[in-house]
Amino acid sequence: MLAGKHVLLIISGGIAAFKSLDLIRRLRERDVQVTPVLTRAAEQFVTPLSVSALAGTKVYRDLFDLTDEAEMGHIELSRAADLVVVAPASADLMAKMAAGLANDLASTLLLATDKRVLIAPAMNVRMWDHPATQRNLATLQADGVLSVGPNSGDMACGEYGPGRMSEPLEIVDGIAAALGEGSLQGKRILITSGPTHEPIDPVRYIANRSSGAQGTALANALADLGAEVHFVTGPASAAMPRAAQITRVETARAMKDAVMAALPADAAIFAAAVADWHVTSASDSKIKKEGDGLPILSFAENPDILAGVAQLKTGRPKLVIGFAAETDDVIAHATAKRLRKGCDWIVANDVSPETGIMGGTENDVTLITQDGAEDWPRMPKSDVSRQLAARIAEALG
Ligand code: CTP
């Protein structure tokens, strides 16, 4: 329950600052006390009056405001709240935080606080990807700063990619989890993600087009609700989750061993695109062209990791969820797959090349449960993940 909690909300400069007005509204609806702080740059995007009206309280604006100093010193201000939230967190403010600068009210509060800090970054995609920002993020994470987002999508600057501030309700989830009030607090969730690589020889392998983006998005959404996430991933190109225990594997057989070693779990989600076969004739040395004609590969079936866990007699997670990537008769195939594998839910999607789903940022899924098929509208993978995480929280009670 968030009611009665107190959040110090620092709004820094950026077009996403307008979403912070809605964030304040969402927090107030949940009876959270919000003390807002605006940086000078933020005042170019939202007015102190609108922030103050929504928060129902005074807005703190400048370090050298002597009246504020007399009323409440910045040390006290930084410690009176249960949590400090920075939304949006601009590249500039993240850099100041990482460097420990204190040259305005926001950065001084962040340096003086003894409370946990949660940032919701928002910036241009190149600024986000810049090594300096990624270095600052790593420093902040090592300092124990929590983060939510950014999401991928169209940006106000006309570019596309990661950098959009998380939606207000995602930040509310992040705040709840940071305060130990997340709906998945205390739950342990295992996720498989990415492709597997099945070696042919030391330099060649068989793989697939999975990027691991859906698995990472899911891990982030579950962690935002307070879950303890164990992430077993093949060689994925997507970023790794922000807060998860990560085990990296290459082959399907190694993935199975890592999954078994990671149990028990309250829920297990199999988002990996596992190769169905491995090469039994794999060579220890590089296969050369000048042999006896074309190489002949022989295959054996890989273990079905999802079916193995779903059919465990003891230690089966309460909720076992599979994904079904299909190119035709999606619902019929996925429904049959749910029964055949013995899992509780299947998240089915059409991965025909024209959908752009495999390796893309959006997904168009049908959730298949014992109650039938539920068609979800096409949306970013981060939104699919948030909705799925909320459903998982409901099911785990
Ligand atoms: N899966 C798994 N281990 C495997 C194969 C698949 O854990 N060896 C899981 C996937 O992570 C996914 C689900 O099973 O959650 C369905 O994967 P999919 O490739 O669609 O199913 P297959 O069993 O491989 O069926 P087919 O390729 O015949 O469609």
Side-chain angles (χ1 to χ4, degrees):
M1 286 297 291
L2 283 175
K5 298 288 184 193
H6 180 185
V7 164
L8 180 72
L9 175 64
I10 296 174
I11 303 177
S12 68
I15 189 67
F18 81 92
K19 287 206 242 175
S20 302
L21 298 178
D22 192 36
L23 174 62
I24 296 174
R25 210 167 57 82
R26 302 294 188 169
L27 289 169
R28 298 291 296 142
E29 276 169 8
R30 288 162 176 75
D31 287 326
V32 175
Q33 183 190 342
V34 179
T35 301
V37 175
L38 279 178
T39 65
R40 285 210 185 128
E43 292 190 26
Q44 306 296 315
F45 297 93
V46 288
T47 69
L49 190 60
S50 50
V51 172
S52 159
L54 283 165
T57 180
K58 167 184 180 58
V59 179
Y60 292 85
R61 296 171 57 189
D62 196 278
L63 180 56
F64 302 106
D65 184 328
L66 291 177
T67 337
D68 289 347
E69 279 296 296
E71 277 173 17
M72 185 190 254
H74 56 263
I75 300 287
E76 203 182 328
L77 184 59
S78 75
R79 297 183 184 173
D82 298 300
L83 181 72
V84 180
V85 176
V86 189
S90 64
D92 180 62
L93 188 50
M94 283 176 64
K96 279 186 188 170
M97 290 170 74
L101 295 182
N103 58 1
D104 62 5
L105 179 59
S107 54
T108 303
L109 293 175
L110 285 160
L111 199 61
T113 190
D114 59 355
K115 296 297 172 352
R116 294 201 90 173
V117 176
L118 172 78
I119 59 171
M123 65 198 71
N124 167 273
V125 56
R126 287 187 193 279
M127 291 169 75
W128 174 253
D129 284 339
H130 196 285
T133 303
Q134 291 303 311
R135 200 164 54 234
N136 291 334
L137 178 68
T139 302
L140 293 173
Q141 284 172 338
D143 290 347
V145 171
L146 305 166
S147 60
V148 49
N151 292 341
S152 286
D154 287 321
M155 310 202 42
C157 52
E159 290 189 66
Y160 187 89
R164 273 164 67 109
M165 186 169 86
S166 293
E167 295 307 316
L169 286 178
E170 291 176 279
I171 300 174
V172 170
D173 287 344
I175 291 172
L179 290 168
E181 304 284 343
S183 49
L184 283 171
Q185 214 71 43
K187 303 290 184 202
R188 201 178 136 74
I189 301 189
L190 170 64
I191 303 180
T192 69
S193 183
T196 61
H197 285 182
E198 305 296 336
I200 296 172
D201 68 16
V203 294
R204 304 182 180 95
Y205 55 81
I206 295 173
N208 60 64
R209 294 184 198 280
S210 166
S211 64
Q214 185 65 77
T216 291
L218 207 42
N220 285 335
L222 292 162
D224 285 350
L225 296 182
E228 183 197 328
V229 177
H230 193 132
F231 192 73
V232 178
T233 179
S237 57
M240 287 295 106
R242 290 187 302 273
Q245 188 184 336
I246 297 174
T247 306
R248 291 170 206 269
V249 296
E250 206 162 302
T251 64
R253 286 162 295 160
M255 184 173 274
K256 182 189 172 210
D257 292 345
V259 162
M260 291 323 225
L263 290 175
D266 296 289
I269 306 167
F270 295 84
V274 183
D276 289 316
W277 307 281
H278 66 270
V279 182
T280 47
S281 56
S283 164
D284 288 338
S285 52
K286 188 180 172 200
I287 302 172
K288 305 297 284 178
K289 270 204 299 289
E290 58 273 10
D292 314 318
L294 296 174
I296 295 176
L297 301 180
S298 50
F299 292 90
E301 203 165 316
N302 275 329
D304 190 319
I305 311 169
L306 165 60
V309 171
Q311 292 165 26
L312 279 175
K313 294 279 178 286
T314 50
R316 181 191 192 275
K318 184 174 172 200
L319 190 61
V320 178
I321 305 173
F323 275 72
E326 308 287 347
T327 53
D328 42 26
D329 291 336
V330 177
I331 304 219
H333 278 134
T335 304
K337 208 169 262 184
R338 186 182 87 82
L339 295 172
R340 192 169 70 241
K341 301 212 181 202
C343 56
D344 302 297
W345 301 351
I346 282 257
V347 183
N349 56 6
D350 184 344
V351 292
S352 310
E354 63 274 16
T355 63
I357 282 173
M358 206 140 190
T361 55
E362 291 192 332
N363 210 344
D364 191 350
V365 308
T366 303
L367 179 65
I368 295 170
T369 68
Q370 58 274 33
D371 301 328
E374 213 180 280
D375 206 6
W376 291 8
R378 188 174 174 120
M379 55 182 124
K381 287 180 177 172
S382 53
D383 289 358
V384 171
S385 303
R386 205 164 63 81
Q387 290 203 17
L388 200 56
R391 289 291 285 268
I392 292 168
E394 233 172 75
L396 293 181

